[in-house]
Amino acid sequence: HVQLVESGGGSVQAGGSLRLSCTGSRPTDGDSAVTMAWFCGAPGKEREGVAGLSNTERITYADSVKGRFVISKDNAKRTLYLQMNNLKPEDTGIYYCAALRGWLHPDRLLWSHQYNRWGQGTQVTVS
């Protein structure tokens, strides 16, 4: 049973943009108690935190994406977004969304082991 579904990945040239979406299947995914984040990984590699949004609307970005990526959430649509601008080849990877019902300190929003629900990922390739 897939609970988080990502979409919006694809292939783009350096400097281009993509917007990723992650929709939760539970009705409670739209309430304000859920903390969510985006991670990037590759087969055989640990997933690295990209951007996190706490249930108190605190946001944390990885240094590598600050000023280029924007995380946001539409609770009515139960959907988390990642607007990715000025993409670079090093942004290439499989992007996963993650969720946790509860609060995380901003310093922990990009710690993958804090989350207990994950999507299957969407591929982003920048050339």
Side-chain angles (χ1 to χ4, degrees):
H1 176 64
V2 177
Q3 297 181 335
L4 299 173
V5 180
E6 301 96 336
S7 62
S11 296
V12 64
Q13 292 187 339
S17 298
L18 286 173
R19 188 176 81 155
L20 305 184
S21 300
C22 170
T23 301
S25 61
R26 298 177 178 174
T28 52
D29 286 331
D31 68 36
S32 58
V34 178
T35 289
M36 300 186 75
W38 288 98
F39 290 81
C40 180
K45 294 186 178 181
E46 185 175 350
R47 297 173 185 178
E48 297 182 347
V50 175
L53 175 61
S54 77
N55 62 356
T56 56
E57 300 185 357
R58 293 292 299 273
I59 292 175
T60 298
Y61 292 103
D63 288 342
S64 60
V65 306
K66 286 180 181 177
R68 300 188 298 122
F69 291 9
V70 178
I71 187 172
S72 61
K73 188 182 180 196
D74 185 333
N75 285 332
K77 296 182 178 179
R78 304 200 304 263
T79 299
L80 180 75
Y81 300 101
L82 184 67
Q83 178 66 44
M84 311 165 70
N85 299 320
N86 191 20
L87 282 160
K88 303 177 180 180
E90 50 264 43
D91 296 321
T92 294
I94 301 172
Y95 282 73
Y96 302 89
C97 73
L100 171 72
R101 189 168 184 81
W103 179 79
L104 284 177
H105 190 281
D107 290 347
R108 298 187 177 188
L109 286 174
L110 303 186
W111 294 10
S112 60
H113 65 275
Q114 299 284 337
Y115 296 88
N116 56 9
R117 294 171 59 211
W118 291 84
Q120 294 185 323
T122 185
Q123 176 71 46
V124 171
T125 302
V126 185
S127 59

